[in-house]
Amino acid sequence: MTVPDTSGQLAEQLLRLTRRLNRAQKRYLDPVGITPAQSRLLRSVAHCEAPPRMADLAERLEVVPRAVTTLVDALEANGAVRRVPDPANRRVIRIELTDHGRETLRALREARRAAVEEILSPLTAEQREVLGGLLGELMQGSPPHRH
């Protein structure tokens, strides 16, 4: 008699669910005109107390600075962010949200909610609560991931 590989099955289910969630989110993000990577950068800028430097964003997103430059270029062309000089050191450039960027963030939140609702629709309120608790436990127990 063989023992079922529950860890392997769980890993596969989590990976499949992640891919499904990413596809659903992309479908909802497309009309907003923004990529998932740009979405992450916008959310990161919004969570900073003061407009961040490019290096701060690269560290926060765990990517190389060049990747941040590309994302900022695209978001600046879209009108969602702007580069501004640091008042204390004019050689330092900071990234700040524009009004359009804040509107885009609101649209992104709605897109994410819709994607998650699509995925969670088969679950009852009780099942969602249990799932939320389990995911919370998993997130607390995981160390920060570095690439």
Side-chain angles (χ1 to χ4, degrees):
M1 182 168 161
T2 60
V3 177
D5 179 14
T6 55
S7 291
Q9 289 172 334
L10 281 173
E12 181 60 29
Q13 287 174 312
L14 286 170
L15 289 171
R16 288 177 60 204
L17 182 61
T18 299
R19 285 193 297 269
R20 192 168 155 217
L21 183 58
N22 285 337
R23 282 192 309 271
Q25 187 171 348
K26 186 176 179 339
R27 271 196 320 277
Y28 286 98
L29 286 179
D30 282 347
V32 178
I34 198 162
T35 67
Q38 291 169 350
S39 162
R40 283 185 64 219
L41 186 128
L42 266 185
R43 288 194 317 272
S44 291
V45 171
H47 284 96
C48 292
E49 288 183 28
R53 299 172 307 144
M54 301 276 258
D56 299 331
L57 289 169
E59 183 178 322
R60 193 175 180 124
L61 296 172
E62 299 177 345
V63 298
V64 296
R66 178 71 191 123
V68 171
T69 300
T70 302
L71 291 171
V72 169
D73 287 347
L75 288 168
E76 190 173 38
N78 173 293
V81 299
R82 68 177 147 252
R83 289 174 166 92
V84 294
D86 184 308
N89 181 350
R90 307 228 4 115
R91 291 176 298 183
V92 174
I93 300 297
R94 296 196 172 264
I95 308 304
E96 70 179 15
L97 287 177
T98 62
D99 288 341
H100 176 64
R102 281 183 274 283
E103 290 170 21
T104 301
L105 275 172
R106 280 190 287 279
L108 287 172
R109 278 192 290 276
E110 288 305 313
R112 290 180 79 198
R113 266 197 231 31
V116 169
E117 183 55 39
E118 178 182 312
I119 299 296
L120 297 180
S121 64
L123 301 181
T124 66
E126 288 175 358
Q127 289 171 322
R128 289 178 189 209
E129 195 172 316
V130 169
L131 178 60
L134 292 170
L135 291 173
E137 286 291 320
L138 290 173
M139 295 306 295
Q140 283 182 2
S142 67
H145 182 65
R146 287 287 199 183
H147 291 230

